[in-house]
Amino acid sequence: MNLILLGGPGAGKGTQAKLIVEEYKIPQISTGDMLRDAVKQGTELGKKAKEYMDKGELVPDEIVIGIVRDRLKQPDCEKGFILDGFPRTIAQAEALDKMLDEIGKKIDAVINIYVPEEEIVKRIVNRRTCKKCGAIYHLIYSPPKEPDKCDKCGGELYQRDDDKEETVRERLRVYKEQTEPLIEYYKKKGILYNVDGTKDINGVFEEIKGVLSKLS
Ligand code: AMP
């Protein structure tokens, strides 16, 4: 099963991707996570990407497309994969179509998680992420048992640099301008499925499972 998770920043793509990974045993390919790793490791690519990420802008297409192309060649993608945060522009979607064509694969479903803008801002500014294992918390809706400490691995929780309110507003603007057109792009291909992202985590996951159960 080859999937794309679409949705604005803070729509719950990362959270749902992790649930899908557990249930369907396919790897999550998160360009955001891969870029943050590169930034942490201080690679050339990471240094370049950081300039854009800190401002809430998109990293140039050629960088991100290259990362995804390499990742899709890994053996664990043989049985399927879930793209989280990619594609984010029409150019990326076209590049993805081309690279999948070359390896004889196609996308089975694009799941669009919809959440209204004000709800997104509320969600993101309260989001905390584990430095060690990447688990995601929300200070109001799903707080950790102990402040600033991950329930799963004990790692330190932090607020992503790009989760501050000003940057969130910019990311929303960029999403509307550059990523939202993908909804139409995949609708035309007949593989778009909308999911109500305002439900709680399990409610959204149930909707996603409903969609996936209909694919064969
Ligand atoms: P995310 O974790 O998906 O919210 O991504 C965090 C940041 O990484 C974004 O605001 C962008 O700066 C960058 N990024 C992640 N995925 C992409 C992509 N597909 N294209 C361009 N930039 C990306």
Side-chain angles (χ1 to χ4, degrees):
M1 201 160 46
N2 304 331
L3 308 174
I4 293 175
L5 272 186
L6 211 60
K13 295 189 299 293
T15 302
Q16 293 300 326
K18 287 190 170 62
L19 294 173
I20 296 172
V21 166
E22 267 176 46
E23 179 91 12
Y24 299 94
K25 316 287 180 218
I26 51 176
Q28 170 192 10
I29 302 179
S30 159
T31 42
D33 284 351
M34 290 192 281
L35 291 167
R36 277 185 290 279
D37 268 354
V39 171
K40 212 158 79 185
Q41 283 163 20
T43 63
E44 274 313 304
L45 190 149
K47 280 181 204 151
K48 220 171 185 184
K50 191 173 184 332
E51 289 171 33
Y52 299 92
M53 293 168 81
D54 283 351
K55 286 187 273 182
E57 290 171 11
L58 292 185
V59 173
D61 285 336
E62 62 273 16
I63 296 184
V64 188
I65 291 167
I67 296 181
V68 173
R69 178 175 286 120
D70 289 344
R71 183 65 187 86
L72 284 174
K73 285 186 196 148
Q74 302 299 312
D76 63 335
C77 295
E78 279 302 312
K79 53 187 170 28
F81 52 81
I82 171 154
L83 285 166
D84 158 17
F86 181 94
R88 256 183 162 95
T89 62
I90 294 283
Q92 291 179 16
E94 288 171 350
L96 175 66
D97 283 346
K98 203 159 154 252
M99 64 178 107
L100 289 177
D101 239 17
E102 282 163 13
I103 50 175
K105 290 185 181 173
K106 64 171 182 54
I107 297 296
D108 299 301
V110 178
I111 297 179
N112 179 40
I113 309 179
Y114 176 73
V115 179
E117 186 164 329
E118 276 318 304
E119 173 67 20
I120 284 190
V121 175
K122 241 195 283 169
R123 281 185 182 189
I124 301 194
V125 296
N126 286 300
R127 175 160 70 183
R128 296 294 179 273
T129 307
C130 174
K131 266 191 182 159
K132 224 161 121 190
C133 75
I136 301 163
Y137 296 85
H138 186 281
L139 295 182
I140 298 159
Y141 303 132
S142 57
K145 292 197 185 90
E146 277 182 61
D148 301 328
K149 199 167 161 188
C150 178
D151 293 351
K152 292 182 183 128
C153 75
E156 188 190 335
L157 303 184
Y158 79 111
Q159 183 177 40
R160 279 168 44 177
D161 287 342
D162 59 351
D163 277 353
K164 314 265 152 83
E165 180 155 354
E166 268 168 59
T167 321
V168 171
R169 299 259 176 217
E170 175 61 12
R171 285 164 67 201
L172 278 164
R173 194 192 61 73
V174 169
Y175 168 76
K176 269 205 193 133
E177 191 182 288
Q178 307 207 48
T179 310
E180 226 168 45
L182 290 178
I183 296 177
E184 207 44 46
Y185 180 88
Y186 288 116
K187 204 170 171 182
K188 276 196 191 130
K189 288 182 183 282
I191 52 171
L192 184 84
Y193 299 88
N194 289 304
V195 160
D196 176 5
T198 61
K199 292 185 177 172
D200 65 11
I201 292 173
N202 281 328
V204 176
F205 189 48
E206 283 305 315
E207 268 203 48
I208 292 177
K209 281 197 287 189
V211 168
L212 299 184
S213 68
K214 285 186 217 121
L215 305 173
S216 52

mmCIF file of all heavy atoms in Angstrom, residues 15 17 28 31 41-42 46 48 54 62 94 102 111 113 140 143 146 148-149 157 172 177 181:
data_model
loop_
_atom_site.group_PDB
_atom_site.id
_atom_site.type_symbol
_atom_site.label_atom_id
_atom_site.label_comp_id
_atom_site.label_asym_id
_atom_site.label_seq_id
_atom_site.Cartn_x
_atom_site.Cartn_y
_atom_site.Cartn_z
ATOM 1 N N THR A 15 1.196 12.235 13.683
ATOM 2 C CA THR A 15 0.542 11.359 14.662
ATOM 3 C C THR A 15 -0.156 10.201 13.956
ATOM 4 O O THR A 15 -0.004 9.038 14.343
ATOM 5 C CB THR A 15 -0.504 12.175 15.465
ATOM 6 O OG1 THR A 15 0.171 13.258 16.085
ATOM 7 C CG2 THR A 15 -1.206 11.330 16.502
ATOM 8 N N ALA A 17 0.412 9.120 10.926
ATOM 9 C CA ALA A 17 1.387 8.291 10.196
ATOM 10 C C ALA A 17 1.945 7.217 11.132
ATOM 11 O O ALA A 17 2.088 6.057 10.739
ATOM 12 C CB ALA A 17 2.514 9.163 9.644
ATOM 13 N N GLN A 28 7.163 5.038 7.533
ATOM 14 C CA GLN A 28 6.750 6.434 7.387
ATOM 15 C C GLN A 28 7.916 7.199 6.761
ATOM 16 O O GLN A 28 9.049 7.097 7.239
ATOM 17 C CB GLN A 28 6.449 7.012 8.777
ATOM 18 C CG GLN A 28 6.227 8.509 8.815
ATOM 19 C CD GLN A 28 6.224 9.059 10.249
ATOM 20 O OE1 GLN A 28 6.574 8.356 11.202
ATOM 21 N NE2 GLN A 28 5.854 10.309 10.396
ATOM 22 N N THR A 31 9.468 13.909 5.335
ATOM 23 C CA THR A 31 10.544 14.802 4.886
ATOM 24 C C THR A 31 10.910 15.784 6.007
ATOM 25 O O THR A 31 12.076 16.117 6.173
ATOM 26 C CB THR A 31 10.140 15.569 3.609
ATOM 27 O OG1 THR A 31 8.788 15.998 3.729
ATOM 28 C CG2 THR A 31 10.286 14.694 2.387
ATOM 29 N N GLN A 41 22.365 16.884 12.665
ATOM 30 C CA GLN A 41 23.687 16.335 12.379
ATOM 31 C C GLN A 41 24.630 17.355 11.755
ATOM 32 O O GLN A 41 25.816 17.083 11.579
ATOM 33 C CB GLN A 41 23.555 15.123 11.465
ATOM 34 C CG GLN A 41 23.093 13.885 12.242
ATOM 35 C CD GLN A 41 22.568 12.794 11.330
ATOM 36 O OE1 GLN A 41 22.873 12.796 10.145
ATOM 37 N NE2 GLN A 41 21.784 11.894 11.885
ATOM 38 N N GLY A 42 24.098 18.527 11.423
ATOM 39 C CA GLY A 42 24.935 19.603 10.893
ATOM 40 C C GLY A 42 25.503 19.326 9.513
ATOM 41 O O GLY A 42 26.566 19.854 9.156
ATOM 42 N N GLY A 46 21.625 19.922 5.757
ATOM 43 C CA GLY A 46 20.923 20.392 6.956
ATOM 44 C C GLY A 46 21.081 21.896 7.134
ATOM 45 O O GLY A 46 20.125 22.605 7.466
ATOM 46 N N LYS A 48 21.661 24.135 4.875
ATOM 47 C CA LYS A 48 20.902 24.826 3.839
ATOM 48 C C LYS A 48 19.404 24.820 4.187
ATOM 49 O O LYS A 48 18.723 25.840 4.118
ATOM 50 C CB LYS A 48 21.098 24.089 2.517
ATOM 51 C CG LYS A 48 21.262 24.989 1.340
ATOM 52 C CD LYS A 48 21.658 24.121 0.174
ATOM 53 C CE LYS A 48 21.970 24.873 -1.071
ATOM 54 N NZ LYS A 48 22.257 23.933 -2.166
ATOM 55 N N ASP A 54 13.470 27.561 9.542
ATOM 56 C CA ASP A 54 13.311 28.513 10.643
ATOM 57 C C ASP A 54 12.348 29.635 10.290
ATOM 58 O O ASP A 54 11.720 30.226 11.153
ATOM 59 C CB ASP A 54 14.670 29.106 11.045
ATOM 60 C CG ASP A 54 15.470 28.115 11.888
ATOM 61 O OD1 ASP A 54 14.892 27.079 12.276
ATOM 62 O OD2 ASP A 54 16.658 28.374 12.150
ATOM 63 N N GLU A 62 14.270 20.796 -5.297
ATOM 64 C CA GLU A 62 15.297 19.827 -5.733
ATOM 65 C C GLU A 62 15.931 19.103 -4.535
ATOM 66 O O GLU A 62 16.262 17.926 -4.622
ATOM 67 C CB GLU A 62 16.349 20.465 -6.654
ATOM 68 C CG GLU A 62 17.182 21.577 -6.054
ATOM 69 C CD GLU A 62 16.513 22.944 -6.188
ATOM 70 O OE1 GLU A 62 15.293 23.019 -6.466
ATOM 71 O OE2 GLU A 62 17.224 23.953 -5.988
ATOM 72 N N GLU A 94 4.619 16.132 -9.266
ATOM 73 C CA GLU A 94 4.960 15.660 -10.613
ATOM 74 C C GLU A 94 6.245 14.843 -10.592
ATOM 75 O O GLU A 94 6.351 13.813 -11.259
ATOM 76 C CB GLU A 94 5.069 16.852 -11.578
ATOM 77 C CG GLU A 94 3.679 17.433 -11.876
ATOM 78 C CD GLU A 94 3.713 18.758 -12.647
ATOM 79 O OE1 GLU A 94 4.806 19.339 -12.800
ATOM 80 O OE2 GLU A 94 2.641 19.221 -13.066
ATOM 81 N N GLU A 102 9.046 5.264 -12.895
ATOM 82 C CA GLU A 102 10.320 4.628 -13.249
ATOM 83 C C GLU A 102 10.535 3.308 -12.523
ATOM 84 O O GLU A 102 11.198 2.414 -13.026
ATOM 85 C CB GLU A 102 11.491 5.582 -12.943
ATOM 86 C CG GLU A 102 11.648 6.659 -14.006
ATOM 87 C CD GLU A 102 12.500 7.835 -13.531
ATOM 88 O OE1 GLU A 102 13.172 7.719 -12.475
ATOM 89 O OE2 GLU A 102 12.462 8.873 -14.198
ATOM 90 N N ILE A 111 -4.620 10.700 1.552
ATOM 91 C CA ILE A 111 -5.548 10.995 2.639
ATOM 92 C C ILE A 111 -5.355 12.436 3.058
ATOM 93 O O ILE A 111 -4.262 12.830 3.488
ATOM 94 C CB ILE A 111 -5.323 10.022 3.800
ATOM 95 C CG1 ILE A 111 -5.641 8.639 3.276
ATOM 96 C CG2 ILE A 111 -6.179 10.391 5.007
ATOM 97 C CD1 ILE A 111 -5.467 7.538 4.223
ATOM 98 N N ILE A 113 -6.203 15.262 5.555
ATOM 99 C CA ILE A 113 -6.741 15.513 6.895
ATOM 100 C C ILE A 113 -7.053 17.000 7.006
ATOM 101 O O ILE A 113 -6.145 17.835 6.966
ATOM 102 C CB ILE A 113 -5.726 15.104 7.987
ATOM 103 C CG1 ILE A 113 -5.228 13.666 7.744
ATOM 104 C CG2 ILE A 113 -6.335 15.244 9.368
ATOM 105 C CD1 ILE A 113 -4.197 13.192 8.762
ATOM 106 N N ILE A 140 -2.446 20.394 26.186
ATOM 107 C CA ILE A 140 -3.823 20.366 26.684
ATOM 108 C C ILE A 140 -4.510 19.028 26.373
ATOM 109 O O ILE A 140 -5.084 18.400 27.254
ATOM 110 C CB ILE A 140 -4.630 21.538 26.079
ATOM 111 C CG1 ILE A 140 -4.005 22.871 26.530
ATOM 112 C CG2 ILE A 140 -6.101 21.479 26.542
ATOM 113 C CD1 ILE A 140 -4.344 24.053 25.660
ATOM 114 N N PRO A 143 -1.304 15.584 27.249
ATOM 115 C CA PRO A 143 -0.090 16.017 27.947
ATOM 116 C C PRO A 143 0.742 14.822 28.437
ATOM 117 O O PRO A 143 0.185 13.749 28.683
ATOM 118 C CB PRO A 143 -0.640 16.806 29.149
ATOM 119 C CG PRO A 143 -2.014 16.291 29.369
ATOM 120 C CD PRO A 143 -2.524 15.801 28.044
ATOM 121 N N GLU A 146 4.640 13.476 33.144
ATOM 122 C CA GLU A 146 5.517 14.408 33.864
ATOM 123 C C GLU A 146 5.878 15.542 32.916
ATOM 124 O O GLU A 146 6.179 15.282 31.748
ATOM 125 C CB GLU A 146 6.824 13.712 34.259
ATOM 126 C CG GLU A 146 6.727 12.902 35.524
ATOM 127 C CD GLU A 146 8.073 12.289 35.871
ATOM 128 O OE1 GLU A 146 9.039 13.052 36.087
ATOM 129 O OE2 GLU A 146 8.153 11.056 35.876
ATOM 130 N N ASP A 148 7.531 18.049 30.504
ATOM 131 C CA ASP A 148 8.762 18.059 29.704
ATOM 132 C C ASP A 148 9.479 16.724 29.590
ATOM 133 O O ASP A 148 10.649 16.668 29.248
ATOM 134 C CB ASP A 148 9.771 19.111 30.231
ATOM 135 C CG ASP A 148 9.178 20.504 30.201
ATOM 136 O OD1 ASP A 148 8.365 20.770 29.301
ATOM 137 O OD2 ASP A 148 9.503 21.304 31.093
ATOM 138 N N LYS A 149 8.777 15.608 29.934
ATOM 139 C CA LYS A 149 9.437 14.300 29.860
ATOM 140 C C LYS A 149 8.572 13.325 29.074
ATOM 141 O O LYS A 149 7.370 13.230 29.298
ATOM 142 C CB LYS A 149 9.646 13.793 31.293
ATOM 143 C CG LYS A 149 10.693 12.710 31.389
ATOM 144 C CD LYS A 149 11.062 12.496 32.845
ATOM 145 C CE LYS A 149 11.725 11.157 33.020
ATOM 146 N NZ LYS A 149 11.933 10.824 34.419
ATOM 147 N N LEU A 157 11.265 16.737 26.276
ATOM 148 C CA LEU A 157 10.321 17.288 25.299
ATOM 149 C C LEU A 157 10.727 18.727 24.976
ATOM 150 O O LEU A 157 11.181 19.462 25.842
ATOM 151 C CB LEU A 157 8.901 17.276 25.857
ATOM 152 C CG LEU A 157 8.363 15.912 26.301
ATOM 153 C CD1 LEU A 157 6.906 16.048 26.733
ATOM 154 C CD2 LEU A 157 8.471 14.869 25.186
ATOM 155 N N LEU A 172 1.188 28.387 7.512
ATOM 156 C CA LEU A 172 -0.188 28.261 7.010
ATOM 157 C C LEU A 172 -0.360 28.991 5.684
ATOM 158 O O LEU A 172 -1.029 28.507 4.778
ATOM 159 C CB LEU A 172 -1.171 28.823 8.046
ATOM 160 C CG LEU A 172 -1.530 27.851 9.163
ATOM 161 C CD1 LEU A 172 -2.178 28.597 10.331
ATOM 162 C CD2 LEU A 172 -2.475 26.764 8.655
ATOM 163 N N GLU A 177 -0.925 28.577 -0.244
ATOM 164 C CA GLU A 177 -0.467 28.990 -1.564
ATOM 165 C C GLU A 177 0.121 27.821 -2.365
ATOM 166 O O GLU A 177 -0.163 27.663 -3.540
ATOM 167 C CB GLU A 177 0.590 30.077 -1.353
ATOM 168 C CG GLU A 177 1.010 30.807 -2.581
ATOM 169 C CD GLU A 177 2.103 31.812 -2.217
ATOM 170 O OE1 GLU A 177 1.768 32.823 -1.563
ATOM 171 O OE2 GLU A 177 3.276 31.568 -2.556
ATOM 172 N N PRO A 181 -3.191 23.390 -3.575
ATOM 173 C CA PRO A 181 -3.531 22.969 -4.953
ATOM 174 C C PRO A 181 -3.378 21.462 -5.189
ATOM 175 O O PRO A 181 -3.949 20.924 -6.142
ATOM 176 C CB PRO A 181 -2.527 23.756 -5.815
ATOM 177 C CG PRO A 181 -2.154 24.950 -5.000
ATOM 178 C CD PRO A 181 -2.205 24.503 -3.567
#
